[in-house]
C-alpha cells in the first residue's frame, strides 16, 4: 500500500528555493513540513558551484555554493522538517495531494499547501537548432560543471562555449584551471549575457577570447566533436553569408539559457507566464490556485541565489498560513525594454520586492512603473543588463488606491560589448 | 577446434536482427557480427518507425513483394517479441484537387477493404489539427507505428535468448573459402560458417565487393526529422502523409509509440555518407509539416536527427548469392520500407537458403521475449509492486522519461546488453527526453561503472571513437603541498 501521510506544507525540490521555503514554513508555524528532493542530497545546483560569490546579500559574506547550501542544510537538520532525498514527485493535484516515489515505495502526501521549487533546466542544442552531426562532446555547461566539480571528469581537451551567461563563463575558467583549453566563448548578442565581474575574472584573466555577434551554426565530427562552425550574425541574429569559419575543438558547451521546470505546474492547469516561463505569482509566491505556491527559479530564473533564498523564505511563510489570500490589486505588465517582471500580481501593497529583468543592455536611462497615465515609480539607472535583475522594494512604490494594470518600462542608450 | 557456425549474419540493423530472430527458430549455430558496439547503430536507428500497411506497397518490385509478405508476420512477431506498438492508422491528405487522383491510386493499389476516401470534414473530425484547406483524405486503419529502437533491440534480445551469439566491434574486411565453410575475415578473428548473409545497410555494396560481386554503389538519401516533446502527445493521433510524390512518401507528421510527435523526412540524395542535419533540410521539413498541420508546435522540438536511406539506382532491394562464394548471400539496397519488410526479407532469405540445401528444423524449445516493465507506463499499483520486489524501481534517475535504476540494470545486463549511452537510450529512453540528458547524465556514468563494470575512460556515446569523457580532473593537494611544489 502507498504510504499515506498528512502535512501542512509540502515543498517540491531541495535546492536553495526549496530549503528556504521549508524553513520559512516551519518558522511560520507549519507543524508538518515535507521537503522532497530528487537528488541524493539537498542543495541542488549549489553543490556543483564550488566558486565563491554567494551569500553577500543574504549573509553579508562571500561563500562558495556548498558553503551556502551548508548553512541551510544545517538549519534543516536541526529542524523537525521531514527531508526526503532521492525522491521524485510524479504527480501533484489541485487539492494539494502529492505523489512521490523513492526506494521505500510510493508516498501519497496530502498537504494543505504545496510549494513548487523545482528550479530550472538548461536549454539544449536542439532547442536552438544547431545543425550538424550528433557526436559525443556536445554538453550543456551546467552538466559539465557537475561532471568536473562533482564527478571529477573532464568533457574534452579543447572546448568552445556558446553563450556568455554566467554558467558558461564560470565553466570556462574551471576548464582552463583543469588544463582544458577554451578556444572561444561565442555570444549571439552584441553584449555580455553574464555578469561583468565574471567576464573579467573568468575570461580576461585567462586570456579566453570572446566573440560577440557570433553563433555556432554547425557541428562536425561523426563520433566525437571535431570542429564547430562559427558564424557572424546580423542585428536580427541571422548568420551572415560568407562570414563563418570552422574552429577546431573536441567539445561544445552550451550556456544558452535556462527554462523553469514547470511540467508538474502545467499539468495542474496553472497558467504559465510567457515572459518568465513560470506560473503567474503574487508577492508571496501564490499561484492562481491559492494553496499552491512557486518560488525560486521555477517561477523565473534569478541571477543571485541570495534573492531566491529571501523570496522563498517569504513564500514558505505564506504557505504555512491558513487564511486565504487577499484579492489581486495590481497586474504588472512588461512594457518597452523589460524582459520580464516577477511577481506579476500584487495583492498587498508594499510587501516584498519586485524583480525586473531588462530585455537588453541599456545605459543612462530610467525605469518606470505606470498605472494608467500616472507614474507610480521612477528611478534613473546608469546601466542595466539582462543578466542582472533590478530589485525594487514594493514599499518604495506609490501604489495608488485604484487597482488595475501597471506597466513597467525601461529606456536608455543601447550598450554594446562589455 | 575452431567454432564453426551454420550461419553468420553480418550487420546488426533491423534486417540482420530480423534474420537472427527468424533463424533462431531453427536448430542452428548462429553468430551475428556487427562493426559497432551495439545493434541498431546505422540506418535502423534513424527512420520514421512506420509499419506500412498494404496501401503503401510498391508493385512490381522485390521490396513490394517482401513488404506484403512481411505483413502477415507482424502479429506473430509482435507476440514473440512482446513489442509495444501504436496501431494508429494513417490519413493521406490531398491538399489540392489534383492530389485527389493520387488518393484514388493509393486506394486502388492497396485494395484494403477497411480503407476509405473521406471528405475534409470527416478527416478533420479525426484529426482536428489537419490543414483546413484539405480537399480529401485517404484513411487507412492498418498503419502501425513502432519504435525502431525497440523493434531492433527486441529482435536481438529474442534471438540472443534463443542462442544467437552477438559479436560486436567486428569490422568485416573480406571473405575466403578453402573448405565447405566460408571464412569471414575481421582484423582479430576469422569466423567460419556454412552460410553467410550480409545485411550491411549503407555498407552493403562495399561488403558485396569484398567477395568480388558486382553491384552499383549505395547512394545515401538523407532525410531529416524533428522530434517533439511528449507533452505534444495527441496533437496528431494518426500518421499524416501528404499525397504521394515520386521519390518518397513525403514529409509526414506522426505520433510515436512513446508519445512524441515526429515530423519528417525530406529526401536529399547525397554523394557521401553524411548524416548531419542542415538548415536547409530542417527548413524543408518545417515547411512540409506546416503544410499538413499549420499549427504544429515545432518550438517544442527536443531533437533533430537525420537518417540515410541506402538506395540503389533502381530503388529496389537486391538479394543475391555471391558469384564467388556460392553460400554467401548479399542483401543490398534495403531502404524504405526495410523496417516493414524485415520479416518478409527473413522468410524470403530462409527460402533461398533452403533451396541451397540448408535444412530448416524447427526447435521445440523456442522462447518468446518478455518485455521488461516500463516504469513510466506502469500504473501505480504495478509501480508499488515493482518497488516492493526491488527497491531499484523506486530510484528514478531520468526525470523526463521517468526511468529507474532497475531499468538501467536490465538494459545493461540483458543480452546483447547496452554498453553505451545510446545503447541505453534505445532500450530505456534515458537521454531521449526533453532535457536530452542534462539530469540523467549525472547518474548514468556511475551506474555504467557500478553495474556494467565499464571504466569511465571506456564510456562511449555510441562507437569506439565517441568517448564521453577526456580524462579526470587534477588530484587535490593541500595548501602546504602546493607551497612546496608550486603546483599540484
Amino acid at each position: 500500500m502507498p504510504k499515506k501521510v498528512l502535512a501542512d506544507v509540502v515543498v517540491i525540490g531541495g535546492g536553495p528555493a526549496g530549503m528556504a521555503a521549508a524553513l520559512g514554513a516551519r518558522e511560520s508555524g507549519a507543524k508538518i513540513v515535507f521537503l522532497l528532493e530528487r537528488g541524493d542530497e539537498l542543495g541542488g545546483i549549489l553543490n556543483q558551484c564550488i566558486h565563491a560569490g554567494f551569500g553577500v546579500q543574504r549573509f553579508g559574506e562571500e561563500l562558495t555554493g556548498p558553503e551556502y547550501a551548508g548553512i541551510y542544510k544545517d538549519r534543516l537538520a536541526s529542524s523537525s522538517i521531514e527531508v526526503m532525498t532521492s525522491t521524485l514527485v510524479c504527480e501533484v493535484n489541485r487539492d494539494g495531494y502529492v505523489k512521490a516515489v523513492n526506494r521505500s515505495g510510493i508516498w501519497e502526501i496530502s498537504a494543505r499547501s504545496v510549494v513548487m521549487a523545482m528550479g530550472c533546466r538548461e536549454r539544449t542544442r536542439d532547442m536552438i537548432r544547431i545543425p550538424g552531426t550528433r557526436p559525443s562532446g556536445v554538453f550543456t555547461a551546467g552538466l559539465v560543471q557537475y561532471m568536473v566539480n562533482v564527478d571529477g571528469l573532464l568533457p574534452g581537451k579543447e572546448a568552445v562555449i556558446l553563450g556568455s551567461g554566467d554558467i558558461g563563463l564560470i565553466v570556462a575558467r574551471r576548464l582552463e584551471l583543469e588544463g582544458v583549453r577554451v578556444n572561444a566563448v561565442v555570444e549571439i548578442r552584441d553584449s555580455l549575457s553574464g555578469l561583468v565581474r565574471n567576464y573579467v575574472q573568468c575570461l580576461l584573466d585567462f586570456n579566453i577570447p570572446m566573440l560577440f555577434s557570433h553563433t555556432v551554426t554547425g557541428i562536425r565530427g561523426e563520433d566525437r566533436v571535431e570542429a564547430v562552425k562559427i558564424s557572424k550574425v546580423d542585428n536580427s541574429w541571422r548568420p551572415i553569408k560568407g562570414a563563418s569559419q570552422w574552429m577546431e575543438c573536441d567539445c561544445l558547451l552550451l550556456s544558452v539559457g535556462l527554462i523553469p521546470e514547470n511540467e508538474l505546474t502545467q499539468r495542474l492547469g496553472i497558467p504559465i507566464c510567457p515572459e518568465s516561463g513560470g506560473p503567474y505569482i503574487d508577492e508571496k509566491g501564490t499561484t492562481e490556485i491559492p494553496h499552491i505556491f512557486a518560488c525560486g527559479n521555477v517561477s523565473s530564473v534569478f541571477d543571485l541565489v541570495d534573492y531566491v533564498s529571501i523570496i522563498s523564505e517569504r513564500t514558505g511563510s505564506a504557505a504555512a498560513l491558513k487564511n486565504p489570500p487577499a484579492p489581486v490589486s495590481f497586474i504588472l505588465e512588461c512594457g518597452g525594454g523589460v524582459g520580464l517582471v516577477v511577481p506579476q500580481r500584487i495583492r498587498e501593497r508594499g510587501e516584498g520586492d519586485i524583480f525586473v529583468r531588462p530585455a537588453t543592455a541599456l545605459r543612462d536611462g530610467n525605469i518606470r512603473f505606470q498605472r494608467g497615465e500616472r507614474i507610480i515609480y521612477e528611478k534613473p539607472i546608469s546601466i542595466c543588463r539582462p543578466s542582472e535583475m533590478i530589485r525594487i522594494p514594493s514599499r518604495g512604490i506609490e501604489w495608488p488606491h485604484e487597482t488595475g494594470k501597471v506597466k513597467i518600462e525601461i529606456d536608455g542608450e543601447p550598450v554594446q560589448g562589455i | 577446434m575452431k567454432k564453426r557456425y551454420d550461419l553468420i549474419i553480418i550487420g546488426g540493423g533491423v534486417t540482420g536482427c530480423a534474420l537472427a530472430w527468424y533463424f533462431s527458430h531453427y536448430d542452428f549455430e548462429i553468430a551475428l557480427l556487427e562493426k559497432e558496439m551495439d545493434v541498431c547503430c546505422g540506418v535502423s536507428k534513424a527512420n520514421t518507425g512506420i509499419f506500412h500497411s498494404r496501401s503503401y506497397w510498391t508493385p512490381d518490385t522485390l521490396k513490394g513483394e517482401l513488404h506484403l509478405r512481411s505483413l502477415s508476420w507482424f502479429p506473430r512477431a509482435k507476440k514473440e517479441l512482446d513489442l509495444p506498438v501504436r496501431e494508429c492508422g494513417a490519413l493521406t491528405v490531398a491538399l489540392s484537387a489534383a492530389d485527389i487522383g493520387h488518393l484514388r491510386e493509393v486506394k486502388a493499389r492497396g485494395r484494403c477493404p477497411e480503407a476509405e476516401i473521406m471528405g475534409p470534414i470527416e478527416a478533420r473530425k479525426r484529426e482536428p489539427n489537419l490543414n483546413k484547406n484539405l480537399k480529401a483524405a485517404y484513411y487507412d486503419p492498418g498503419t502501425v507505428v513502432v519504435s525502431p529502437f525497440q523493434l531492433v533491440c527486441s529482435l536481438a534480445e529474442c534471438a540472443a535468448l534463443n542462442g544467437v551469439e552477438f559479436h560486436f566491434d567486428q569490422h568485416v574486411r573480406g571473405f575466403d573459402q578453402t573448405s565447405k565453410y566460408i571464412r569471414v575475415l575481421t582484423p582479430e578473428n576469422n569466423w567460419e560458417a556454412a552460410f553467410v548473409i550480409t545485411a550491411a545497410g549503407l555498407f552493403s555494396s562495399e561488403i558485396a565487393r569484398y567477395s568480388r560481386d558486382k553491384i552499383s554503389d549505395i547512394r545515401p538519401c538523407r532525410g531529416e526529422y524533428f522530434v517533439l516533446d511528449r507533452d505534444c502527445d495527441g496533437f496528431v493521433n494518426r500518421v499524416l502523409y501528404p499525397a504521394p510524390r515520386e521519390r518518397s512518401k513525403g514529409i509526414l507528421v506522426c505520433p510515436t509509440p512513446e508519445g512524441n510527435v515526429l515530423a519528417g523526412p525530406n529526401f536529399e540524395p547525397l554523394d557521401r555518407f553524411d548524416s548531419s542535419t542542415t538548415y536547409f533540410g530542417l527548413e524543408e521539413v518545417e515547411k512540409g509539416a506546416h503544410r499538413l498541420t499549420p499549427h504544429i508546435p515545432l518550438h517544442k522540438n527536443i531533437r533533430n536527427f537525420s537518417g540515410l536511406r541506402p538506395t540503389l539506382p533502381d530503388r529496389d532491394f537486391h538479394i543475391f548469392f555471391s558469384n564467388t562464394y556460392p553460400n554467401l548471400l548479399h542483401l543490398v539496397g534495403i531502404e524504405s520500407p526495410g523496417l516493414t519488410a524485415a520479416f518478409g526479407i527473413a522468410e524470403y532469405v530462409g527460402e533461398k537458403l533452403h533451396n541451397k540445401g540448408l535444412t530448416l528444423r524447427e526447435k521445440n524449445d523456442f522462447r518468446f521475449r518478455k518485455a521488461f516493465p516500463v516504469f513510466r507506463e506502469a500504473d501505480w499499483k504495478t509501480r508499488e509492486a515493482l518497488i516492493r520486489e526491488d527497491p531499484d524501481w523506486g530510484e528514478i534517475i531520468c526525470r523526463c522519461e521517468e526511468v529507474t535504476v532497475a531499468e538501467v540494470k536490465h538494459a545493461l545486463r540483458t543480452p546483447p546488453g547496452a554498453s553505451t549511452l545510446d545503447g541505453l537510450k534505445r532500450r530505456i529512453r534515458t537521454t531521449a527526453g526533453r532535457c536530452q540528458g542534462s539530469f540523467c547524465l549525472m547518474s548514468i556514468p556511475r551506474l555504467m561503472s557500478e553495474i556494467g563494470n565499464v571504466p569511465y575512460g571506456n564510456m562511449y556515446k555510441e562507437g569506439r571513437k565517441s568517448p564521453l569523457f577526456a580524462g579526470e580532473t587534477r588530484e587535490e593537494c593541500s595548501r602546504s603541498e602546493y607551497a612546496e611544489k608550486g603546483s599540484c
Side-chain angles (χ1 to χ4, degrees), chain A residues 145-398:
Chain A
Q145 190 179 43
Y146 179 90
M147 274 164 52
V148 174
N149 293 345
V150 180
D151 285 341
L153 296 164
L154 299 178
K157 294 188 171 71
E158 264 187 88
V160 166
I161 298 178
L162 177 59
S164 64
D166 290 311
I167 307 172
L169 301 177
I170 285 160
V171 168
R173 170 177 66 185
R174 186 74 187 95
L175 291 178
E176 281 282 343
L177 288 171
E178 288 295 342
V180 180
R181 180 90 198 103
V182 179
N183 289 341
V185 174
V186 181
E187 169 59 56
I188 196 167
R189 295 172 190 268
D190 59 6
S191 63
L192 194 68
S193 292
L195 303 174
V196 175
R197 74 162 193 229
N198 282 332
Y199 170 73
V200 174
Q201 293 169 8
C202 300
L203 299 195
L204 280 189
D205 289 357
F206 290 83
N207 294 317
I208 299 171
M210 170 88 224
L211 292 167
F212 288 109
S213 299
H214 280 74
T215 191
V216 172
T217 54
I219 297 174
R220 199 167 70 195
E222 202 53 48
D223 303 294
R224 178 81 199 181
V225 176
E226 287 164 12
V228 296
K229 192 178 187 181
I230 294 178
S231 302
K232 196 168 168 47
V233 296
D234 63 19
N235 289 336
S236 42
W237 295 1
R238 276 189 305 257
I240 299 168
K241 263 209 171 113
S244 60
Q245 60 180 55
W246 286 94
M247 184 181 276
E248 282 186 20
C249 60
D250 67 355
C251 59
L252 171 67
L253 274 45
L254 303 170
S255 174
V256 291
L258 301 167
I259 306 162
E261 187 125 55
N262 273 302
E263 277 70 27
L264 286 175
T265 325
Q266 274 171 298
R267 270 183 246 151
L268 282 172
I270 294 178
I272 300 294
C273 164
E275 287 97 12
S276 69
Y280 293 99
I281 52 171
D282 68 13
E283 67 279 1
K284 287 175 176 153
T286 323
T287 67
E288 307 234 326
I289 302 177
H291 53 273
I292 296 184
F293 297 80
C295 60
N297 283 358
V298 84
S299 66
S300 168
V301 176
F302 283 86
D303 48 347
L304 293 184
V305 70
D306 302 59
Y307 292 159
V308 167
S309 298
I310 294 164
I311 294 167
S312 302
E313 279 164 42
R314 198 181 295 137
T315 300
S317 297
L321 301 179
K322 285 180 184 153
N323 44 336
V328 170
S329 308
F330 299 99
I331 292 175
L332 307 187
E333 290 184 339
C334 300
V338 176
L340 67 87
V341 58
V342 69
Q344 302 89 344
R345 307 279 185 264
I346 301 293
R347 292 178 198 268
E348 287 170 46
R349 296 168 175 82
E351 288 223 6
D353 299 299
I354 290 156
F355 292 87
V356 177
R357 189 183 286 284
T360 56
L362 297 171
R363 71 168 81 244
D364 304 326
N366 286 286
I367 181 165
R368 230 178 350 267
F369 284 44
Q370 254 175 287
R371 166 78 191 93
E373 293 302 300
R374 183 167 156 203
I375 294 171
I376 58 170
Y377 178 82
E378 185 163 27
K379 202 182 168 188
I381 41 173
S382 55
I383 188 157
C384 68
R385 305 173 175 282
S387 56
E388 291 169 61
M389 284 178 138
I390 303 169
R391 179 188 184 187
I392 300 152
S394 182
R395 62 176 186 279
I397 298 166
E398 293 169 32

Side-chain angles (χ1 to χ4, degrees), chain A residues 72-131:
Chain A
Y72 284 91
K73 287 185 198 176
D74 289 347
R75 288 185 187 176
L76 284 161
S78 58
S79 76
S80 58
I81 293 167
E82 296 280 346
V83 175
M84 289 171 32
T85 54
S86 298
T87 302
L88 192 104
V89 173
C90 293
E91 279 178 27
V92 181
N93 81 7
R94 296 177 77 96
D95 302 326
Y97 167 89
V98 174
K99 217 157 188 176
V101 172
N102 64 20
R103 293 184 68 91
S104 67
I106 290 157
W107 293 76
E108 292 179 359
I109 308 171
S110 232
R112 215 178 59 229
S113 304
V114 178
V115 180
M116 304 289 208
M118 293 88 75
C120 56
R121 65 168 179 266
E122 296 182 275
R123 290 180 82 199
T124 65
R125 166 191 178 173
D126 302 277
M127 300 188 73
I128 56 169
R129 221 191 274 183
I130 304 175

Side-chain angles (χ1 to χ4, degrees), chain B residues 327-445:
Chain B
N327 288 350
L328 170 61
L329 185 76
H330 292 301
L331 276 62
V332 185
I334 312 298
E335 54 148 323
S336 176
L339 192 94
T340 309
F343 310 116
I345 293 173
E347 186 188 56
Y348 178 76
V349 168
E351 286 167 13
K352 278 195 159 275
L353 297 196
H354 177 71
N355 294 340
K356 274 267 176 176
L358 184 75
T359 321
L360 303 176
R361 249 194 320 276
E362 210 157 326
K363 285 178 193 164
N364 51 19
D365 59 347
F366 182 82
R367 295 168 67 190
F368 289 9
R369 169 186 179 263
K370 179 88 191 82
F372 201 59
V374 177
F375 186 85
R376 179 183 69 251
E377 289 165 2
D379 59 33
W380 284 103
K381 216 176 138 195
T382 313
R383 290 175 174 190
E384 176 82 34
L386 288 169
I387 300 172
R388 206 177 320 118
E389 196 179 299
D390 178 357
D392 284 346
W393 282 103
E395 197 174 336
I396 299 173
I397 55 129
C398 159
R399 201 195 73 80
C400 309
E401 301 291 312
E402 294 181 352
V403 185
T404 64
V405 170
E407 289 158 278
V408 176
K409 269 191 181 164
H410 184 263
L412 289 168
R413 286 176 177 165
T414 307
S419 56
T420 61
L421 197 60
D422 283 355
L424 285 173
K425 171 170 97 177
R426 289 172 198 148
R427 285 168 179 80
I428 54 174
R429 291 183 63 75
T430 45
T431 75
R434 58 178 69 89
C435 90
Q436 289 285 299
S438 300
F439 180 59
C440 67
L441 279 177
M442 294 179 174
S443 5
I444 287 180

